[in-house]
Amino acid sequence: MDYGIHRFNGEDFLKNFKGKNFMFVGDSLSNNQWQSLACMLHAAVTNSNYTFDRTRNRSVLSFPEFEFTITFLKDGFLVDLVIEEAGRVLKLDSLSRTEQWKGVDVLIFNSYHWWIHTGRLQTWDYFQVGDKLYKEMDHMEAYKIALTTWANWVDSNIDPVVTKVFFQGISAVHYYGKDWDEPMVKDCSGQTKPIEGSTYPGERYAGEAVVKSVLSNMTMPVNLLDITLLTQLRKDGHPSRIVSGASMDCSHWCVAGVPDAWNELLYTILLQK
């Protein structure tokens, strides 16, 4: 099989997938990939009578001439986060928003970065499995339970003849120069060149093994967009601090930029199928 990357052609993409709808489901890194694909397609058909609709957790771009739609659905944990008397409860074995995932031709899921938050960035107070609440649990153990819940739903509810499913792999962050053997560098600010070569000196992310383990045990064929090394090498691709006084951003990506390559991978895999 030819594993070469196809040169992306936005108009051909729209023609190849005429009448289809794509949906990105996940956190802001999913939104990053959705933004990238939206721009790549619009740039190819600038005279399109496109429509764009955005609500609090959903963004939809449509190209009526091609009967084609791409949607971003914000859902960073995939499983349910609910407010109860005890507080904010992350229910690791509960999915309640899955109706929105049905009837889609291509689904690209993502979930990881919210799971590693601690302190003031953590958006839950308790984990719940079954009827039991846990104030503390290893975050990667919780992540694996939640991802298995998602995988079981996909296996039970998605017809692979109708819907192609992808999982966006773990995207790198660059907040500590020691991770790429530059201990005197604080973060991604001022970085203008990628890391040379094809290896990354820093540690692997704990979630990588979790994702690969869960996907390997599924009966539904799910394609992993394995973007981790690709993004680790791109310490130069983040917005950093665009506006004076804004917080440093070394986790999201500039568009146009690194996420364009993720969509080239997506396009290549779809054409091979």
Side-chain angles (χ1 to χ4, degrees):
M1 182 180 290
D2 178 13
Y3 287 97
I5 301 298
H6 284 268
R7 181 179 294 277
F8 189 91
N9 184 306
E11 188 169 4
D12 285 350
F13 187 108
L14 290 166
K15 289 176 179 176
N16 284 330
F17 301 110
K18 185 174 183 177
K20 304 295 185 182
N21 54 344
F22 284 43
M23 179 180 283
F24 294 86
V25 184
D27 59 24
S28 53
L29 277 306
S30 282
N31 190 33
N32 230 172
Q33 187 174 0
W34 176 88
Q35 290 172 336
S36 165
L37 184 57
C39 291
M40 292 167 84
L41 295 177
H42 178 259
V45 288
T46 53
N47 294 323
S48 169
N49 293 314
Y50 70 89
T51 64
F52 175 64
D53 180 60
R54 181 168 61 190
T55 57
R56 183 168 174 265
N57 292 319
R58 187 183 183 99
S59 300
V60 184
L61 178 66
S62 299
F63 296 90
E65 307 95 311
F66 300 95
E67 303 169 42
F68 179 86
T69 299
I70 51 169
T71 299
F72 164 64
L73 188 64
K74 184 179 179 182
D75 194 348
F77 293 114
L78 300 181
V79 294
D80 294 336
L81 176 65
V82 299
I83 306 297
E84 296 188 343
E85 187 175 344
R88 300 167 299 176
V89 181
L90 191 51
K91 301 194 172 192
L92 304 181
D93 55 0
S94 175
L95 295 165
S96 65
R97 297 178 296 277
T98 55
E99 283 301 314
Q100 299 177 83
W101 306 349
K102 294 180 179 179
V104 178
D105 297 296
V106 179
L107 283 164
I108 306 99
F109 290 97
N110 159 257
S111 181
Y112 179 66
H113 279 260
W114 289 14
W115 294 92
I116 59 176
H117 289 166
T118 57
R120 63 181 180 81
L121 294 177
Q122 183 173 301
T123 54
W124 70 90
D125 302 307
Y126 295 93
F127 297 107
Q128 182 174 341
V129 182
D131 295 326
K132 191 166 183 179
L133 288 177
Y134 300 87
K135 182 65 176 175
E136 300 293 340
M137 180 185 290
D138 179 83
H139 286 198
M140 287 300 96
E141 180 183 348
Y143 179 53
K144 187 169 186 177
I145 295 170
L147 213 56
T148 301
T149 299
W150 163 83
N152 290 338
W153 183 91
V154 170
D155 280 341
S156 300
N157 292 275
I158 296 296
D159 180 352
V161 175
V162 176
T163 301
K164 301 294 181 288
V165 180
F166 291 80
F167 195 90
Q168 183 201 89
I170 292 167
S171 173
V173 300
H174 294 97
Y175 285 103
Y176 304 101
K178 63 181 177 60
D179 290 344
W180 60 89
D181 285 346
E182 291 188 49
M184 301 305 292
V185 174
K186 183 180 179 182
D187 49 42
C188 67
S189 179
Q191 297 296 315
T192 59
K193 294 181 180 179
I195 294 170
E196 294 184 358
S198 57
T199 58
Y200 185 71
E203 295 181 2
R204 303 188 73 88
Y205 296 108
E208 287 184 82
V210 174
V211 169
K212 290 177 180 178
S213 173
V214 171
L215 296 188
S216 69
N217 287 309
M218 295 178 68
T219 56
M220 169 80 183
V222 174
N223 298 280
L224 174 63
L225 295 176
D226 197 352
I227 61 172
T228 305
L229 177 59
L230 181 156
T231 54
Q232 284 177 321
L233 299 176
R234 292 301 306 274
K235 60 184 172 65
D236 60 315
H238 301 285
S240 61
R241 184 178 283 121
I242 296 175
V243 180
S244 177
S247 60
M248 182 63 62
D249 186 351
C250 298
S251 57
H252 299 97
W253 302 95
C254 296
V255 175
V258 173
D260 297 349
W262 312 350
N263 286 314
E264 290 173 349
L265 289 171
L266 174 67
Y267 185 45
T268 296
I269 295 170
L270 287 169
L271 289 181
Q272 290 173 347
K273 294 181 177 301

